[in-house]
């Protein structure tokens, strides 16, 4: 099974360890003691297979159809209503957005060429180029994020939005694995995994809840940006974190 991205979370656990002590005769001996310490637990997101991609696309389509039958408005219909009123963006804004999208694609394409080279074998020029591309992408990512947030707030109650959220949950349930390659949400069909998800969500284990939150965050990033390697994943997360920090600093000013 190919791994797309791995991460580790520490959990406080009681463990038995051999420690040095002194007996009543003053002799140094090794004794077993139970202590509490952080124990690392590893998890990973699997690289989806072609079958998984097909199944997820079908699941999205089913959820979309159900939402429409339930009476939810579709994104194109809502967009048409906005267009009749002048649109979400004017022509100048749309042109700028298209240019940003094009720039980001070109940046990622250049980064991917460098990513194919082992980091230890890269020349100083290649390392500098990679860093320059990363810096160049930041303002574009910020603009894209602000646009997506504004757009999603408008289209949040559409049939497509509901189907998308359902699809993300599907990916979380099927891409999440423990380090020993056992599914985090147990083996079985979708309903079996949803049952495990709900069990954790409704339970009192804060550590498992934090694992689910980390898995959901990472898989949501993958769903929207589709990074193809662990390195691209790290770059994407770093970019998002940097933008969050900059936004917080702006709020504090």
């Amino acid at each position: 099974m190919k791994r797309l991205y791995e991460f580790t979370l520490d959990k406080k656990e009681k463990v038995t360890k051999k420690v040095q002590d002194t007996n009543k005769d003053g002799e140094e001996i090794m004794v077993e003691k139970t202590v509490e310490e952080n124990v690392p637990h590893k998890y990973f997101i699997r690289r989806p297979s072609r079958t998984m991609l097909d199944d997820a696309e079908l699941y999205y389509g089913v959820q979309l159809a159900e939402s429409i039958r339930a009476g939810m408005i579709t994104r194109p219909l809502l967009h048409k209503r906005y267009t009749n009123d002048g649109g979400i963006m004017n022509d100048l804004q749309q042109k700028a957005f298209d240019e940003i999208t094009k720039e980001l694609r070109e940046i990622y394409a250049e980064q991917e060429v460098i990513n194919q080279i082992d980091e230890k074998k890269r020349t100083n020029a290649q390392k500098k180029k990679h860093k320059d591309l990363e810096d160049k992408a930041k303002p574009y990512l910020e603009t894209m994020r602000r646009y997506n947030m504004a757009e999603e707030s408008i289209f949040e109650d559409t049939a497509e939005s509901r189907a998308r959220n359902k699809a993300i949950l599907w990916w979380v349930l099927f891409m999440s694995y423990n380090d020993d390659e056992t599914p985090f949400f147990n083996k079985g069909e979708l309903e079996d995994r949803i049952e495990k998800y709900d069990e954790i969500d409704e339970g009192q284990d804060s550590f498992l809840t934090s694992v689910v939150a980390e898995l959901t965050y990472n898989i949501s990033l993958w769903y929207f940006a589709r990074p193809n390697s662990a390195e691209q994943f790290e770059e994407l997360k770093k970019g998002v974190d940097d933008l969050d920090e900059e936004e917080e600093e702006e709020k504090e000013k």
Side-chain angles (χ1 to χ4, degrees):
M1 182 185 301
K2 293 182 178 179
R3 302 187 179 199
L4 181 61
Y5 183 70
E6 300 176 86
F7 65 91
T8 301
L9 292 180
D10 290 338
K11 179 182 181 183
K12 281 195 174 298
E13 295 180 356
K14 290 182 178 180
V15 296
T16 301
K17 300 182 71 175
K18 286 187 176 183
V19 297
Q20 196 171 48
D21 201 355
T22 305
N23 64 16
K24 60 182 180 179
D25 298 322
E27 299 171 331
E28 290 188 351
I29 58 173
M30 298 298 293
V31 297
E32 288 188 346
K33 284 188 177 182
T34 299
V35 297
E36 191 176 72
E37 63 179 30
N38 287 326
V39 178
H41 290 260
K42 295 182 179 181
Y43 305 92
F44 73 91
I45 297 169
R46 69 168 294 180
R47 185 178 294 277
S49 64
R50 186 176 299 277
T51 299
M52 290 176 69
L53 291 168
D54 289 342
D55 289 345
E57 185 176 349
L58 176 61
Y59 183 73
Y60 174 87
V62 170
Q63 295 302 317
L64 178 60
E66 286 184 1
S67 300
I68 294 172
R69 282 198 299 270
M72 294 187 74
I73 191 170
T74 63
R75 197 179 186 107
L77 182 56
L78 186 57
H79 193 279
K80 184 178 180 181
R81 291 182 182 178
Y82 274 102
T83 301
N84 291 338
D85 293 333
I88 299 172
M89 293 188 288
N90 58 40
D91 292 343
L92 188 61
Q93 290 172 325
Q94 184 63 56
K95 183 178 179 181
F97 180 79
D98 292 341
E99 285 295 323
I100 288 171
T101 303
K102 179 183 176 183
E103 285 287 343
L104 273 175
R105 286 175 179 166
E106 291 176 356
I107 289 170
Y108 286 148
E110 289 186 67
Q111 281 184 325
E112 183 60 24
V113 173
I114 301 175
N115 287 341
Q116 298 300 318
I117 305 168
D118 188 285
E119 194 168 353
K120 295 179 181 178
K121 297 181 179 179
R122 293 175 192 172
T123 65
N124 289 333
Q126 288 170 333
K127 291 177 182 178
K128 183 179 184 303
K129 178 67 173 177
H130 198 280
K131 179 65 169 59
D132 290 343
L133 288 169
E134 185 179 306
D135 292 338
K136 185 179 179 182
K138 282 182 180 180
Y140 296 133
L141 286 170
E142 172 64 7
T143 302
M144 289 284 285
R145 188 177 69 147
R146 289 181 184 277
Y147 170 79
N148 287 331
M149 287 174 63
E151 185 183 43
E152 287 308 315
S153 67
I154 294 172
F155 294 107
E156 186 58 37
D157 294 324
T158 61
E160 287 85 355
S161 179
R162 178 182 179 277
R164 178 206 64 203
N165 292 337
K166 290 282 188 178
I168 291 174
L169 176 59
W170 188 96
W171 281 114
V172 169
L173 296 175
F174 284 93
M175 289 179 77
S176 304
Y177 278 78
N178 300 303
D179 192 49
D180 62 0
E181 298 200 351
T182 58
F184 181 79
F185 295 101
N186 295 341
K187 294 180 180 179
E189 300 301 320
L190 177 62
E191 291 306 317
D192 299 317
R193 297 178 188 237
I194 289 178
E195 185 177 341
K196 181 63 177 179
Y197 179 92
D198 289 340
E199 179 186 316
I200 295 173
D201 187 50
E202 296 166 6
Q204 302 298 316
D205 193 322
S206 59
F207 177 73
L208 287 179
T209 301
S210 67
V211 176
V212 173
E214 185 69 17
L215 287 165
T216 302
Y217 173 70
N218 289 318
I219 292 172
S220 296
L221 283 179
W222 170 83
Y223 184 86
F224 288 109
R226 298 298 168 105
N228 292 318
S229 65
E231 189 173 25
Q232 283 188 0
F233 234 116
E234 290 293 351
E235 289 169 1
L236 179 64
K237 292 181 70 174
K238 184 177 183 301
V240 172
D241 290 342
D242 288 346
L243 291 174
D244 285 339
E245 287 179 10
E246 290 173 9
E247 195 170 87
E248 285 298 318
E249 289 174 359
E250 285 295 322
K251 288 180 181 178
E252 292 173 2
K253 289 181 180 179

